[in-house]
Amino acid sequence: MYIYNDIDKQLLSERIAQFQDQTQRFLKGDLADEAFLPLRLQNGLYIQRHAPMLRVAVPYGMLSSAQLRKLASISRDYDKGYCHITTRQNIQFNWPKLETIPELLKELSEVEMHTIQTSGNCIRNVTSDALAGVAADEVIDPRPYCELVREWSTFHPEFAFLPRKFKIAISGSAQDRSSIQFHDIGLQLVLSDKGRGFRVFVGGGLGRTPVKASLLREFLPEEDLLSYLSAILRTYNQLGRRDNKYKARIKILVRALGVNAFSEKVEAQWLRIKKHYPKLDQQTVKLMQQFFSAPSYKNFNVEDSEFTLKNLSNNLLEHSQRAFKNWLARNAGEHKIAGYRTVTLSLKPTGIPAGDVTDKQLEAIADLADRYSFGEVRTTQQQNIVLADVAINDLLELWLSAKQYGFTSANVGTLTDITCCPGGDFCALANAKSIPIAEAIQRRFDDMDYVYDLGDLTLKISGCMNGCAHHSISHIGILGVDKKGEEFYQIMLGGSAGDIATASVGKVIGPSFSAADIPDAIDTILQVYVAERVENEPFIHVVNRLGLEPFKAALYPKKVSSRSTKKAAEPH
Amino acid sequence: MSNTIDSPTTFLFKNSRVCDDPWPTVKSVKNSRHQLVTIEQWLASKEYYLGSDLTLGIHLLGEYYIDDIDMLDHLGAFSLIKIEFTSFTDGRGFSLATQLRQYGFKGELRATGSFLLDQLNYLQRCGFDAFEFDAQTDVKAIQKALAAFSHSYQCV
Ligand code: HEM
Ligand code: SF4
């Protein structure tokens, strides 16, 4: 994990001093509202429905146990005893008091954490693969590059007042677990005969106009990363629209110019300026890689581990054995080192808002990390927590301890592992509540055998078209809409992001539903899937193969029949 | 932080201190060899200005996209480039300044118009070395804001 050096520490304390001064000037009336706004946003501070909301950066999702314990004590001392994991791997506090925020920031800085650039029209916290460094399908570990980009983008003097927010994600594996094509810039690390480099995607995004990114460059040599990013950002900073905030993201610029014309501008700028930027030389990359070196894994024999894995639960009672095996199947994953597994702690037990964790739970996660996973965890885009390096030998013990804290819902990657934004309960921009919808769906589908039989499925719920829960790249997406002052929900099918080639934005299936009708509608969709699938065909394949029609026909039968009765009635 | 180009109620801060300003604005005429031109004037009479023995400055709006400006080949002709920010949330001037420095401009790069004290450190790191402020601006606050950060992650 990256450890701050003296310069990092000094810059952070200077930033806290700067923001404290700005807050004081604001409270004294020396700094106008409009002037304070972008300054507080660049320090992660929103004013929300009930209270200020503070967003803490978790760079590329990595947290140490010491950081978890600090987040726990902050939740207790400054908030209502819990915090929230976002879909961008960050942490949010929903109830801090404005006047306590400088103190809170100081406490965060004690564990090398901050809220810098988690909001505002600047380069946001870089996101990445929650399984970085351990995934069996990884080509290159993205974390050293994430950290290099984090440093490059932090306090970047040229790019702090962009037309709109700017999000960068980096992935280094075959499967894309970071949705890089739905970011302003998505970088895919690749190994070619020219060495390490990046496939560069640009102009992806969610929000009210979800767009899959365009390929800007098939291969960017590793050493040119920062100069090339500068050329893209500069082109966007100068040409992106500023007259309408809904049209200000880079996706709109790329679409307006066409990716080829955009690329010409970037390449021309890059050729002119690249000599002014230091190259990422091997030495720099190597130094950074050392921060993310493998922990001291034990040597396990593959066959022994397989044997252990099979027999771990022999001494449990039958129903516990079953629960443990389900958990292994859903919440534990392949690891590139023999004898290890990645383990996802589910933060989605029925009835708890997705991603919410209490102070006690944060402390428990820290203990589990210390005991079983080298003292580190990762936050995921699906609002869960990953212990990345668990020895197979420890799995049973881990399961037994994690159970006490409610982390063992064996639903990872299934229908009930719902991603959900704060919605109308917290967010001032919401059209509708989202948390109660998630709960209603979880309650309706409480038969886990049925849920397992449905297989891999993503369901995401956003309370408005800003799409904080990524509903438009979800197999089933639910979007809160406002219909004459009433809360309604639109359903989308067919979104996906895990595969670079086939990633796609979901399509709206038809007229929206009331909250009460949503569980039935989901049930209908699932029944169509079960009836139409061939053997183990996953949900998303069936949707892609059949299109929306069969689902529509099942969801809106009355409309069709009422129209036909009307027609039939007319001649009389 | 002055709002109008012509305002006599501003002062110039350069090289860490308040300075006399030898330059006229684009609208005023000072009795000196310094002349500040707009981009339109420059484009219309480039040959005349290049042939004259005036000390030249040019006044640009932050939103100018530099690839449109036919002056890159003549950056050496200017002793001053003044960039006017029309709104402090519009960051285009930050890129314009960085670019001018990268393209080799060595003269005075001055910020005017709508920018915040809180942006001074970044403006300076983008290459600005002179700033116009409202007369009532506190000089100590300027110095403090310029020194907000002791290091930077960016070499450029
Ligand atoms: C409660 C305060 C929040 C506010 C006011 C807020 C506001 C917004 C807005 C306005 C957008 C659309 C931006 C655009 O398209 O230009 C957006 C997008 C997004 N937000 Fe939030 N959000 C909040 C909370 C969250 C939370 C809790 C999460 C995670 C669960 C989140 C994650 C995201 C993501 C991933 C996107 C879409 C990706 C993209 O920018 O293309 N936000 N948010
Ligand atoms: S999707 Fe809308 S309702 Fe949900 S958090 Fe984002 S802005 Fe708020």
Side-chain angles (χ1 to χ4, degrees):
Chain A
M1 189 155 164
Y2 183 71
I3 313 274
Y4 277 19
N5 59 30
D6 290 345
I7 292 178
D8 295 316
K9 285 182 192 158
Q10 181 159 359
L11 282 172
L12 184 49
S13 71
E14 286 166 355
R15 175 61 155 210
I16 293 170
Q18 183 192 43
F19 187 49
Q20 187 162 17
D21 172 64
Q22 287 162 347
T23 308
Q24 278 162 2
R25 282 157 55 213
F26 169 71
L27 292 172
K28 267 201 298 186
D30 293 345
L31 194 57
D33 273 359
E34 332 67 272
F36 186 54
L37 176 82
L39 304 176
R40 71 167 160 78
L41 286 179
Q42 303 225 1
N43 288 288
L45 182 60
Y46 285 83
I47 305 296
Q48 275 306 303
R49 204 152 263 201
H50 310 287
M53 187 273 285
L54 190 69
R55 190 178 288 154
V56 180
V58 181
Y60 33 97
M62 295 201 65
L63 284 169
S64 68
S65 51
Q67 291 175 328
L68 286 163
R69 292 195 178 96
K70 180 57 88 178
L71 291 169
S73 75
I74 290 177
S75 306
R76 219 169 8 243
D77 300 343
Y78 296 85
D79 206 299
K80 296 189 174 177
Y82 69 98
C83 63
H84 178 80
I85 294 176
T86 80
T87 48
R88 300 198 69 254
Q89 300 183 295
N90 290 328
I91 301 267
Q92 277 176 199
F93 289 108
N94 280 318
W95 311 93
K97 294 197 178 58
L98 184 60
E99 54 288 4
T100 63
I101 283 172
E103 264 323 293
L104 194 166
L105 294 181
K106 273 186 204 141
E107 292 219 26
L108 275 178
S109 72
E110 289 165 18
V111 290
E112 305 185 355
M113 294 190 82
H114 59 74
T115 58
I116 296 160
Q117 292 175 211
T118 53
S119 156
N121 297 334
C122 52
I123 306 174
R124 303 288 188 87
N125 185 31
V126 182
T127 52
S128 187
D129 186 351
L131 302 182
V134 300
D137 68 340
E138 185 166 277
V139 184
I140 300 169
D141 186 345
R143 292 170 301 170
Y145 304 92
C146 290
E147 177 55 29
L148 287 162
V149 171
R150 182 194 75 82
E151 292 179 9
W152 165 79
S153 60
T154 298
F155 308 140
H156 199 301
E158 187 182 344
F159 304 129
F161 295 89
L162 296 169
R164 199 73 179 84
K165 57 168 124 173
F166 205 91
K167 302 176 178 181
I168 301 178
I170 311 181
S171 154
S173 50
Q175 228 214 321
D176 172 19
R177 282 173 291 267
S178 332
S179 317
I180 61 168
Q181 288 176 105
F182 297 95
H183 283 75
D184 297 286
I185 293 180
L187 298 170
Q188 182 190 13
L189 273 155
V190 287
L191 255 182
S192 85
D193 46 8
K194 290 170 244 154
R196 282 188 305 233
F198 301 89
R199 275 177 101 196
V200 182
F201 294 90
V202 71
L206 298 169
R208 60 181 66 209
T209 349
V211 184
K212 182 175 164 179
S214 308
L215 183 64
L216 186 62
R217 207 166 211 276
E218 186 57 50
F219 185 78
L220 175 72
E222 169 189 274
E223 60 177 21
D224 292 322
L225 177 63
L226 300 183
S227 59
Y228 196 75
L229 289 181
S230 302
I232 299 176
L233 262 298
R234 182 173 296 167
T235 306
Y236 168 59
N237 192 28
Q238 292 187 312
L239 297 179
R241 283 181 64 172
R242 288 171 185 270
D243 58 327
N244 179 342
K245 76 171 179 175
Y246 300 119
K247 299 205 183 319
R249 296 286 292 270
I250 194 174
K251 60 191 171 190
I252 306 291
L253 175 65
V254 171
R255 204 161 58 178
L257 292 176
V259 69
N260 292 335
F262 180 77
S263 161
E264 276 167 29
K265 288 195 186 295
V266 170
E267 297 279 329
Q269 178 62 212
W270 185 48
L271 284 180
R272 262 203 205 138
I273 62 169
K274 67 197 271 200
K275 64 170 184 284
H276 295 287
Y277 296 80
K279 293 198 176 240
L280 268 192
D281 54 76
Q282 294 299 313
Q283 179 69 7
T284 311
V285 175
K286 220 180 226 151
L287 276 175
M288 197 49 90
Q289 281 168 339
Q290 284 168 8
F291 285 108
F292 303 94
S293 56
S296 37
Y297 292 121
K298 289 194 194 117
N299 272 324
F300 291 112
N301 172 296
V302 184
E303 279 141 41
D304 291 351
S305 311
E306 291 305 319
F307 181 80
T308 314
L309 190 58
K310 274 205 198 92
N311 296 294
L312 270 175
S313 58
N314 287 357
N315 295 330
L316 296 179
L317 294 175
E318 199 189 314
H319 79 275
S320 296
Q321 266 195 30
R322 226 168 77 95
F324 179 67
K325 285 194 170 144
N326 286 338
W327 178 78
L328 274 187
R330 291 306 329 182
N331 298 27
E334 297 285 317
H335 197 289
K336 70 179 184 192
I337 304 292
Y340 284 86
R341 283 290 181 274
T342 62
V343 169
T344 304
L345 301 178
S346 169
L347 300 183
K348 318 282 181 64
T350 298
I352 303 291
D356 276 9
V357 264
T358 65
D359 56 337
K360 296 256 159 29
Q361 285 182 314
L362 287 163
E363 279 158 359
I365 296 169
D367 292 344
L368 294 174
D370 280 341
R371 248 183 294 157
Y372 303 113
S373 197
F374 301 96
E376 284 176 13
V377 305
R378 293 97 181 281
T379 52
T380 77
Q381 215 178 42
Q382 292 73 32
Q383 304 174 286
N384 289 317
I385 296 269
V386 164
L387 297 176
D389 299 291
V390 181
I392 284 175
N393 290 332
D394 291 335
L395 284 170
L396 180 61
E397 228 183 275
L398 165 62
W399 179 69
L400 290 167
S401 339
K403 226 157 89 127
Q404 301 165 26
Y405 296 97
F407 298 139
T408 50
S409 300
N411 60 354
V412 170
T414 70
L415 176 69
T416 61
D417 184 8
I418 298 172
T419 306
C420 182
C421 80
D425 293 302
F426 296 97
C427 176
L429 304 178
N431 286 328
K433 293 195 178 70
S434 50
I435 294 169
I437 303 299
E439 180 172 346
I441 295 172
Q442 285 179 322
R443 293 209 185 279
R444 175 63 168 271
F445 299 96
D446 60 351
D447 173 0
M448 285 314 281
D449 288 329
Y450 180 64
V451 169
Y452 294 145
D453 178 61
L454 297 171
D456 287 336
L457 192 64
T458 58
L459 193 155
K460 304 184 192 240
I461 310 174
S462 302
C464 78
M465 69 276 237
N466 288 319
C468 299
H470 298 178
H471 66 276
S472 53
I473 50 170
S474 182
H475 300 168
I476 302 176
I478 300 180
L479 164 65
V481 291
D482 177 275
K483 255 195 188 172
K484 300 194 185 108
E486 278 194 69
E487 301 192 351
F488 270 77
Y489 299 87
Q490 224 173 43
I491 297 182
M492 273 176 208
L493 292 185
S496 73
D499 183 297
I500 299 269
T502 63
S504 59
V505 171
K507 294 197 186 76
V508 180
I509 188 147
S512 51
F513 299 88
S514 71
D517 288 338
I518 282 286
D520 279 345
I522 301 299
D523 189 35
T524 306
I525 290 168
L526 294 172
Q527 283 181 29
V528 174
Y529 159 62
V530 170
E532 297 290 344
R533 70 179 161 185
V534 181
E535 290 173 21
N536 292 326
E537 189 179 12
F539 180 83
I540 185 70
H541 285 206
V542 173
V543 176
N544 289 341
R545 180 164 59 80
L546 299 178
L548 297 187
E549 280 318 313
F551 298 95
K552 268 189 192 164
L555 275 174
Y556 304 106
K558 281 196 208 110
K559 280 221 165 128
V560 179
S561 63
S562 73
R563 220 181 282 138
S564 51
T565 37
K566 228 186 202 166
K567 261 188 202 151
E570 268 164 10
H572 290 270
Chain B
M1 291 169 70
S2 62
N3 284 323
T4 52
I5 297 167
D6 246 337
S7 170
T9 57
T10 64
F11 64 86
L12 175 66
F13 192 89
K14 194 183 166 185
N15 301 328
S16 323
R17 58 194 170 79
V18 180
C19 299
D20 280 338
D21 187 356
W23 289 90
T25 66
V26 282
K27 289 191 198 144
S28 72
V29 191
K30 258 195 191 171
N31 211 356
S32 76
R33 305 216 51 76
H34 292 70
Q35 184 160 358
L36 190 69
V37 299
T38 62
I39 187 71
E40 292 78 17
Q41 289 168 330
W42 164 255
L43 291 176
S45 318
K46 187 160 61 180
E47 300 309 321
Y48 161 74
Y49 290 122
L50 285 171
S52 77
D53 57 357
L54 291 164
T55 304
L56 275 183
I58 190 163
H59 182 121
L60 301 174
L61 291 178
E63 47 261 47
Y64 277 119
Y65 183 50
I66 195 157
D67 284 359
D68 299 340
I69 299 175
D70 181 16
M71 58 168 222
L72 285 184
D73 298 338
H74 303 287
L75 281 180
F78 302 107
S79 305
L80 166 71
I81 298 181
K82 201 188 234 194
I83 297 180
E84 182 183 347
F85 287 81
T86 44
S87 156
F88 67 84
T89 55
D90 186 336
R92 284 176 285 188
F94 292 75
S95 279
L96 179 57
T98 313
Q99 255 174 324
L100 288 168
R101 289 299 189 207
Q102 287 178 349
Y103 295 164
F105 178 63
K106 300 260 181 335
E108 176 181 326
L109 193 52
R110 187 189 295 189
T112 188
S114 170
F115 58 87
L116 303 176
L117 276 181
D118 307 89
Q119 294 173 310
L120 278 183
N121 182 270
Y122 286 4
L123 287 167
Q124 177 175 257
R125 285 163 54 208
C126 287
F128 286 102
D129 55 0
F131 308 88
E132 286 177 11
F133 291 103
D134 277 346
Q136 67 269 28
T137 313
D138 176 16
V139 173
K140 282 217 182 65
I142 296 173
Q143 284 158 339
K144 183 173 164 191
L146 280 168
F149 294 103
S150 55
H151 296 84
S152 91
Y153 287 116
Q154 300 77 20
C155 302
V156 216

